[in-house]
Amino acid sequence: MTNLDEILQARRDTRHFTNDEVPDEVINKALQAGHWAPSVGLTDATKYYLIKSDEIKKAVKALFVDYDNKAANQTDNEQQKAAYKALKLEAIEEAPLGLVICYDRSVLNNFTIGTVGSNESIKFSAVCAAQNIWLSLTEQGFSMGWISILNYYQFKQLLGLPEHMEPLGYFCVGKPATNYDNQPMLQQLNWKQKSEFPFVEEIRILHPVAEIKRDKEINKDCSISLSEALQYKIDHKTKPTGALGVLEKLAKQIGELFQTLKPKIILPHIVVFAADHGIAQHGVSAYPQDVTRQMVSNFLEGGAAINVFCKQNNINLSIVDAGVNYDFPPNAKLVSAKIDKGTKSFIAGPAMSKMQMELCFTKGSEIVKTIAKSGSNCVGFGEMGIGNTSTASVLMSVLCGFPIEDCVGRGTGVNDEKLIEKQMTLKKALDNYSGLLDLDSQLAYFGGFEILQMAAGMLEAYENRMLILVDGFICSVAFLVASKKNPLIIKNAVFSHQSAEQAHGKLLDYLEASAILKLDLRLGEGTGCAIVFPIIESAVAFLNEMASFESAGVSSK
């Protein structure tokens, strides 16, 4: 087939293949055609992976079958469901060659021409490459089928693709066994008919863009332009300049984070990470270690403060077993990310191994990545773990260079005598440390499973441009850890409250941050995040809905 019009009209999505192998020269020519496709800013973001292994094909097929069943159950029309199940929507195991076309998000870490308006442009380039590959294969007498009915998160895991590599789907490649009467199979089977001609309409009317007026020329740099536009919008609401105080700062921060003049909080989520600590064996808490397990059960049953406040404010809640000293029965409401049954005491040795520390970052990242994939753009962090104020205090002392006495508080409510004993115990642990001074070595030696998983989750939230709600002292220490790995994360953070833990104010000063509330809270669980959330919604609401002087006809003088 050599006529371009004939190729373009030919059946695109093949589901029936012969057993003929795909010669190397055929696929290489097709991939070269893909490489010649338009690439925004010449990013070379499109990457290709070939699959010939029957074992891998079988595993991909299982992913397809799982999601295909979910797709069939989306309709209550039994006739339509039966017709859907009768369709052949893939040829993963039958096709001699599998192809995964990906786009590499890591190219966006550098200045990239053509992506300022939308990072999606690198995805569009990959789709252009897929089209070129199909054209080349068709011209050579072969064809391709595009499989997108997959759990993409599991698909990437199964193939071992790095986090920054995003697949368009799985493509079946081979010699077509039928031409489907030169029409799409869905059309041939009367599932859906393709219109004969494309939709085309000439736009003749120029529509006005947002009604922002500026008294001075805005710098053409996009980030500065948006910042000034947000400030102009805030200052020209029907109020004296600065009259809404912290709400104005929040509104501007959220607008800049979401890169819009009309930000919206979508599917807010709070995650409570729970774990036990070996240091609790040394009497640093007013409560026994088993309270961690008891409180996790309370969370799952909906009886804790965080449950009440999340329900009140319509916030999704997840509970994570990061390392509780207990084997919970299977429970759909509990996210299992257990590293071990609590850390070891760091009085005379490391709390965890380097491998366990790295696993904390992997699991914490995965949990928040799943939340981001649900569409959420706002995530709050909470914790539960008897002994974790001691762990947090030591981490603060090590990472900030403060004396341990400045970092230790009453935690769950120890008395004066216990407080002095707690200080001495933690000072002994610090004096005993003779390990390396790099960050990861210190985190493995003094860290807590839930604290490190929270830090990882915060870093993942930053990567997904999510608003990060930080709870009290322990969560702020997790944020401290995250900020040591990426200082830019501060742009995403809202510190919900300054807790009654005496070191929290000093830590916030170190982070050059201020909390929204000061209510003498010291409960943890993410309660501060849930309580502050209505204030965040108020900041967004006034920015989006409050009238300007111009629209209300009110004098600004």
Side-chain angles (χ1 to χ4, degrees):
M1 188 182 296
T2 56
N3 181 280
L4 180 59
D5 284 345
E6 290 180 0
I7 294 176
L8 290 173
Q9 291 178 46
R11 170 75 180 74
R12 279 175 175 73
D13 217 359
T14 300
R15 301 296 184 221
H16 297 82
F17 295 93
T18 68
N19 293 326
D20 296 346
E21 293 296 316
V22 180
D24 288 345
E25 56 269 24
V26 170
I27 189 62
N28 289 339
K29 182 178 180 181
L31 295 179
Q32 184 63 52
H35 189 60
W36 284 331
S39 174
V40 62
L42 296 179
T43 54
D44 271 349
T46 308
K47 303 291 191 293
Y48 309 100
Y49 299 89
L50 298 178
I51 295 175
K52 299 179 182 179
S53 162
D54 290 338
E55 182 183 10
I56 296 175
K57 290 179 183 178
K58 184 176 181 179
V60 174
K61 171 69 175 286
L63 286 184
F64 166 82
V65 170
D66 180 50
Y67 254 47
D68 190 46
N69 289 333
K70 292 180 180 179
N73 291 327
Q74 287 182 347
T75 176
D76 293 327
N77 185 318
E78 292 302 323
Q79 185 176 356
Q80 187 180 42
K81 184 181 294 186
Y84 174 85
K85 289 184 175 180
L87 297 173
K88 180 171 177 55
L89 296 178
E90 54 78 35
I92 297 169
E93 292 186 282
E94 295 91 336
L97 180 65
L99 169 65
V100 182
I101 303 174
C102 299
Y103 58 98
D104 183 354
R105 284 192 291 105
S106 68
V107 301
L108 299 171
N109 294 335
N110 300 309
F111 175 70
T112 306
I113 294 175
T115 62
V116 174
S118 172
N119 289 342
E120 293 283 280
S121 52
I122 59 171
K123 181 193 295 185
F124 305 153
S125 295
V127 174
C128 290
Q131 177 78 347
N132 270 20
I133 292 169
W134 166 77
L135 287 170
S136 175
L137 286 170
T138 305
E139 188 271 336
Q140 297 180 79
F142 289 79
S143 194
M144 185 164 75
W146 189 341
I147 311 300
S148 61
I149 304 175
L150 297 165
N151 180 317
Y152 277 71
Y153 176 68
Q154 293 178 333
F155 184 50
K156 285 176 62 173
Q157 279 192 319
L158 186 150
L159 299 181
L161 296 178
E163 187 275 334
H164 55 81
M165 203 69 70
E166 300 294 345
L168 296 181
Y170 182 96
F171 295 82
C172 304
V173 179
K175 187 175 284 291
T178 174
N179 66 2
Y180 305 96
D181 291 334
N182 289 320
Q183 59 180 311
M185 185 185 70
L186 295 182
Q187 182 170 310
Q188 184 189 44
L189 299 176
N190 294 316
W191 178 268
K192 187 174 179 65
Q193 298 300 308
K194 188 177 183 70
S195 56
E196 185 176 357
F197 301 105
F199 169 85
V200 182
E201 180 180 325
E202 181 183 356
I203 297 176
R204 300 181 179 182
I205 300 174
L206 180 65
H207 296 270
V209 188
E211 81 301 333
I212 295 179
K213 294 185 178 180
R214 295 175 173 82
D215 296 328
K216 60 182 180 177
E217 183 69 17
I218 297 296
N219 189 305
K220 294 187 183 298
D221 181 283
C222 183
S223 62
I224 296 176
S225 173
L226 176 64
S227 177
E228 292 197 16
L230 281 164
Q231 193 62 58
Y232 182 95
K233 186 176 182 181
I234 291 168
D235 290 345
H236 286 73
K237 296 296 185 181
T238 49
K239 60 172 180 60
T241 302
L244 284 176
V246 173
L247 290 184
E248 297 189 21
K249 295 179 181 178
L250 279 173
K252 186 176 182 183
Q253 178 188 4
I254 295 169
E256 289 177 336
L257 174 59
F258 295 160
Q259 290 288 287
T260 177
L261 293 169
K262 293 184 177 181
K264 182 180 180 182
I265 303 295
I266 302 171
L267 298 175
H269 207 119
I270 289 177
V271 192
V272 179
F273 293 79
D276 279 310
H277 296 253
I279 192 65
Q281 303 164 13
H282 300 275
V284 294
S285 174
Y287 289 85
Q289 189 180 77
D290 193 51
V291 170
T292 306
R293 187 269 305 173
Q294 294 168 0
M295 282 304 300
V296 169
S297 298
N298 193 22
F299 296 150
L300 297 175
E301 292 168 7
I306 188 59
N307 300 98
V308 173
F309 297 144
C310 282
K311 183 178 180 182
Q312 175 192 10
N313 295 307
N314 197 28
I315 301 171
N316 292 313
L317 176 64
S318 294
I319 310 300
V320 178
D321 175 11
V324 180
N325 187 17
Y326 182 75
D327 289 320
F328 291 98
N331 188 320
K333 296 180 181 179
L334 181 66
V335 179
S336 179
K338 189 189 291 288
I339 306 298
D340 202 347
K341 291 184 177 180
T343 57
K344 296 179 175 62
S345 170
F346 50 68
I347 290 294
M352 66 186 81
S353 67
K354 281 284 186 72
M355 183 179 297
Q356 287 178 319
M357 182 269 295
E358 292 168 357
L359 192 56
C360 284
F361 279 89
T362 298
K363 288 184 177 292
S365 177
E366 288 174 349
I367 289 165
V368 173
K369 186 184 298 183
T370 300
I371 293 171
K373 286 181 179 292
S374 75
S376 172
N377 64 0
C378 176
V379 59
F381 292 83
E383 45 62 41
M384 176 63 214
I386 296 300
N388 63 5
T389 53
S390 294
T391 299
S393 297
V394 171
L395 285 173
M396 176 180 168
S397 176
V398 169
L399 300 183
C400 298
F402 296 151
I404 188 63
E405 292 80 8
D406 291 350
C407 305
V408 178
R410 298 185 184 276
T412 49
V414 296
N415 58 31
D416 290 345
E417 181 181 347
K418 278 284 188 182
L419 179 59
I420 295 172
E421 182 179 337
K422 182 177 179 180
Q423 291 175 345
M424 293 176 61
T425 299
L426 299 183
K427 188 175 188 305
K428 178 182 178 183
L430 288 169
D431 291 342
N432 287 342
Y433 182 66
S434 59
L436 299 175
L437 299 181
D438 65 285
L439 178 61
D440 285 352
S441 294
Q442 293 173 329
L443 295 180
Y445 196 97
F446 294 112
F449 294 143
E450 85 281 30
I451 293 175
L452 299 191
Q453 287 193 22
M454 283 193 292
M458 291 172 182
L459 291 167
E460 183 65 32
Y462 170 82
E463 292 297 326
N464 286 276
R465 203 184 283 275
M466 301 173 80
L467 185 65
I468 300 170
L469 307 185
V470 185
D471 194 32
F473 173 60
I474 296 156
C475 288
S476 295
V477 170
F479 184 88
L480 170 67
V481 172
S483 69
K484 291 293 183 181
K485 288 183 172 286
N486 184 354
L488 294 177
I489 196 174
I490 193 71
K491 297 178 180 179
N492 295 53
V494 171
F495 293 85
S496 59
H497 73 105
Q498 182 176 327
S499 79
E501 194 73 1
Q502 63 97 15
H504 195 199
K506 190 175 183 71
L507 178 56
L508 291 175
D509 289 341
Y510 177 87
L511 293 168
E512 298 182 349
S514 56
I516 306 299
L517 301 172
K518 189 173 182 181
L519 301 175
D520 288 334
L521 303 176
R522 53 181 180 85
L523 178 60
E525 304 178 7
T527 46
C529 300
I531 292 169
V532 85
F533 185 71
I535 296 175
I536 293 170
E537 288 190 306
S538 295
V540 172
F542 103 76
L543 180 64
N544 291 336
E545 300 172 21
M546 188 175 175
S548 66
F549 287 115
E550 181 183 14
S551 67
V554 175
S555 173
S556 61
K557 301 295 184 182

